Amino acid sequence: MDFELDGNSALVTAASSGLGFASARALAEEGANVAICGRDETRLEAAREELAGTATGDVLAVQADLTDPDDVSGLVRETVEAFGGLDHVVTSSGGPPSTTFLETDEQDWYQAYDLLVMSVVWTIEAAHEHLLESEYGTITCITSRTVREVADGLLLSNSVRRGVIGLVKTVSREFAPDIRANAVLPGTIETPRIEELIEAGVERGTYDDYEDGLTAMASEIPMDRIGDPRELGDVVAFLSSPRASFVNGTEVPIDGGLLRS
């Protein structure tokens, strides 16, 4: 299916690896000009080079800290200057530490809120006027299945990410019909984040070793396997495209049927 994204411009945050990178790759391979950002300059440049190897459009890499509103506004500005406009925004971020309630202090809560919620707010604020000028302006927020069902040991993700869903649902109504906004809810997908969670589980004694954790996670999924990042990236590209022009204000689980709700 042609997603009709050729020549469009997209910004994907936190895209030097993981689900952000997979989304950027899917958009780039569909012909969009893609801007990515990350904090680590070396990883960011490696991601840019890899994307450029398969992209049919231009690829821009901007070093930025999503918890700094000035960095976020500069990221959007550089993207617009490079591509002459902005059609699609995909928000992603690294996850907060795996923790329980009694292990979490007040500063942890503030840091998680800036990372998971305010980074999205600042990105949308900076991008809004440019998305309005697009024929098909879209916002797609990568969150987590934990917005529907909590996961043990993920207190901050369980609690804070739900704010993004409320934000997406609200702006999907406020910005329509000019801009569509949706969210995707990844489940267990093979990314560095999953590796961190399994390793944390090993430290807590939940798993014997990494392979035990991987097997345990896969056993809970009806599809009987871990997801591939590209399987999420393709959905993000679809939601950004005119092919999804009547999809607005929704949350799409990409979890192999893991959610029971």
Side-chain angles (χ1 to χ4, degrees):
M1 179 185 292
D2 180 5
F3 284 171
E4 302 177 21
L5 291 171
D6 192 53
N8 282 199
S9 296
L11 167 61
V12 186
T13 64
S16 60
S17 66
L19 300 179
F21 179 80
S23 300
R25 184 173 209 163
L27 289 162
E29 291 180 359
E30 286 293 328
N33 302 313
V34 177
I36 62 173
C37 78
R39 288 180 294 184
D40 186 299
E41 186 174 4
T42 301
R43 287 175 57 191
L44 183 62
E45 179 57 22
R48 188 200 66 76
E49 290 181 359
E50 187 173 348
L51 287 175
T54 58
T56 58
D58 295 330
V59 179
L60 172 70
V62 180
Q63 191 173 11
D65 180 351
L66 294 177
T67 63
D68 183 335
D70 291 334
D71 273 17
V72 174
S73 61
L75 168 65
V76 173
R77 183 173 61 253
E78 288 192 48
T79 301
V80 172
E81 289 174 355
F83 298 150
L86 182 59
D87 302 294
H88 313 290
V89 167
V90 180
T91 65
S92 179
S93 68
S98 175
T99 186
T100 64
F101 184 82
L102 295 179
E103 296 170 339
T104 307
D105 62 28
E106 184 173 329
Q107 190 60 35
D108 293 331
W109 285 101
Y110 288 125
Q111 290 174 346
Y113 192 76
D114 278 353
L115 176 66
L116 299 178
V117 179
M118 290 311 300
S119 66
V120 179
V121 172
W122 293 323
T123 303
I124 293 174
E125 284 179 339
H128 178 258
E129 64 178 300
H130 305 291
L131 294 175
L132 277 178
E133 296 174 0
S134 169
E135 184 177 2
Y136 295 110
T138 68
I139 298 165
T140 307
C141 297
I142 302 174
T143 59
S144 170
R145 72 178 181 88
T146 61
V147 302
R148 288 196 184 173
E149 291 180 358
V150 301
D152 292 342
L154 296 184
L155 170 74
L156 294 170
S157 182
N158 294 339
S159 305
V160 178
R161 287 189 191 273
R162 296 185 183 214
V164 177
I165 297 303
L167 172 63
V168 167
K169 192 64 178 179
T170 302
V171 299
S172 74
R173 298 179 65 82
E174 291 183 0
F175 295 171
D178 303 299
I179 301 169
R180 293 186 295 109
N182 295 288
V184 292
L185 316 183
T188 309
I189 298 178
E190 195 169 2
T191 64
R193 173 62 170 165
I194 288 299
E195 294 176 7
E196 292 174 6
L197 294 178
I198 293 176
E199 288 166 1
V202 172
E203 290 180 8
R204 291 195 307 269
T206 305
Y207 310 124
D208 293 335
D209 53 29
Y210 183 82
E211 289 302 319
D212 180 48
L214 202 60
T215 300
M217 285 189 171
S219 68
E220 299 175 354
I221 302 171
M223 293 299 291
D224 198 30
R225 65 177 176 87
I226 302 298
D228 186 291
R230 183 56 190 260
E231 292 174 301
L232 178 135
D234 286 342
V235 175
V236 169
F238 169 70
L239 290 173
S240 301
S241 78
R243 296 288 189 172
S245 58
F246 203 54
V247 182
N248 185 42
T250 194
E251 310 155 26
V252 182
I254 305 169
D255 66 349
L258 181 59
L259 281 173
R260 295 178 182 273
S261 60

